[in-house]
Amino acid sequence: MTGTAESPESTGTLVLAGTPIGAVSDAPPRLAQELAAADVVAAEDTRRMKRLTQALGVRVGGRVVSYFEGNEAARTPELVEALAGGARVLLVTDAGMPSVSDPGYRLVAAAVEKDIRVTAVPGPSAVLTALALSGLPVDRFCFEGFLPRKAGERLSRLKEVADERRTLVYFEAPHRLDDTLAAMVEAFGEERRAAVCRELTKTYEEVKRGPLKELAEWAADGVRGEITVVVEGAPEQPADDLTPDELVRRVQVREEAGERRKEAIAAVAAAAGLPKREVFDAVVAAKNAARTAP
């Protein structure tokens, strides 16, 4: 049995607390209660957390420790030991929910492994806020986090999801936004609709919507602030329009991104609504043609 409400009473509780992504007034009332009641508060940035508690008028009664990417591996056993001893540990990041492109997953996994109860204080989410404001379909979406910094790896990752039908959500640093949007133009096409959401819930909040080409031109002069990019999913393409060469290309893109051929074929077939055998035959025919080519 993994970490549930049925965990032994002698163990503590890990609380993942959502913090404001901009306006402090967005903080849920329970956040202040948990900050005051926690035995240990693990914060991504203790200075930011101090400013947050001052703004909320909360006095933290427990021990405060840092928990960020650089010390996450080393500090996790210490926090698990505290939890095993009955402590209530509150995990907060700089903004949004812990473990969503922020520290937290490692601690959650370790707590679950030890059958320690894990719960959450739901709070603001840049992903959901950007989706809601984008004007793009939100019934089905994929959160892709941050893209690789290197240009080749970034383009490869984007090409991997070029045929994804669901709306895509990315986080990006402002100084890399222009390069990322240019890569999206190359991978998705210049007419694919998107929205760049900047400084969500803050004073200078801005949502720029339009085709990727226009957004890339807009971002070329530089953009500031916290950025979330929402991209429309690929348009449905009738199976009759997918040539064997196109099916092979899609499989190759997935293989280049690290998928095994079997999984790549299955994924392409599912996306196209075709039998796996049809995609497999196209790949084999292309391979045979390459062998016999002069």
Side-chain angles (χ1 to χ4, degrees):
M1 196 95 178
T2 54
T4 68
E6 299 178 18
S7 298
E9 292 183 3
S10 59
T11 61
T13 298
L14 173 61
V15 183
L16 309 177
T19 54
I21 59 176
V24 175
S25 57
D26 290 336
R30 188 176 151 213
L31 175 59
Q33 298 169 9
E34 292 286 356
L35 283 165
D39 298 303
V40 181
V41 176
E44 183 178 9
D45 186 325
T46 56
R47 292 168 300 181
R48 287 197 181 190
M49 191 212 69
K50 185 176 180 180
R51 290 196 293 269
L52 174 63
T53 56
Q54 289 175 340
L56 295 175
V58 178
R59 181 180 178 277
V60 177
R63 180 166 59 98
V64 177
V65 299
S66 63
Y67 189 77
F68 59 97
E69 185 177 358
N71 72 354
E72 189 176 2
R75 180 138 283 168
T76 293
E78 172 190 331
L79 294 175
V80 171
E81 183 178 354
L83 287 162
R88 190 172 187 86
V89 176
L90 184 71
L91 179 61
V92 295
T93 58
D94 291 347
M97 284 298 297
S99 81
V100 181
S101 285
D102 274 321
Y105 167 75
R106 193 189 301 266
L107 180 56
V108 172
V112 169
E113 179 66 23
K114 295 293 185 179
D115 201 23
I116 293 167
R117 183 171 183 264
V118 181
T119 187
V121 177
S125 165
V127 176
L128 297 180
T129 303
L131 274 167
L133 296 178
S134 70
L136 298 172
V138 297
D139 54 332
R140 300 174 68 228
F141 67 90
C142 300
F143 175 56
E144 291 287 310
F146 284 95
L147 286 163
R149 297 184 180 186
K150 294 183 178 179
E153 294 177 4
R154 179 170 55 231
L155 183 59
S156 177
R157 182 77 61 81
L158 289 170
K159 286 184 176 179
E160 181 183 349
V161 294
D163 302 315
E164 174 59 61
R165 299 277 305 284
R166 292 171 291 184
T167 299
L168 303 164
V169 185
Y170 296 90
F171 287 160
E172 191 50 280
H175 63 278
R176 289 196 297 269
L177 180 62
D178 55 344
D179 290 335
T180 291
L181 290 172
M184 287 179 172
V185 169
E186 183 175 348
F188 302 152
E190 58 186 33
E191 294 303 317
R192 184 82 71 90
R193 293 188 301 162
V196 176
C197 304
R198 187 180 73 86
E199 295 289 87
L200 289 171
T201 80
K202 299 178 183 178
T203 302
Y204 298 103
E205 176 181 281
E206 179 181 21
V207 180
K208 193 75 173 179
R209 307 175 183 87
L212 280 170
K213 181 181 180 181
E214 290 183 11
L215 293 175
E217 292 171 349
W218 164 76
D221 293 332
V223 177
R224 294 181 178 181
E226 300 290 333
I227 304 293
T228 305
V229 181
V230 185
V231 184
E232 181 180 35
E236 184 174 4
Q237 188 171 359
D240 293 344
D241 293 346
L242 294 174
T243 65
D245 286 345
E246 174 60 17
L247 295 174
V248 172
R249 184 196 69 79
R250 293 187 177 191
V251 171
Q252 289 174 339
V253 167
R254 288 181 171 273
E255 285 188 284
E256 290 170 1
E259 285 189 24
R260 292 188 297 177
R261 178 166 295 177
K262 181 178 180 181
E263 284 73 18
I265 288 173
V268 170
L274 296 171
K276 285 188 287 187
R277 170 57 63 177
E278 186 171 339
V279 180
F280 174 80
D281 289 345
V283 171
V284 171
K287 187 175 181 180
N288 291 336
R291 285 177 177 173
T292 57

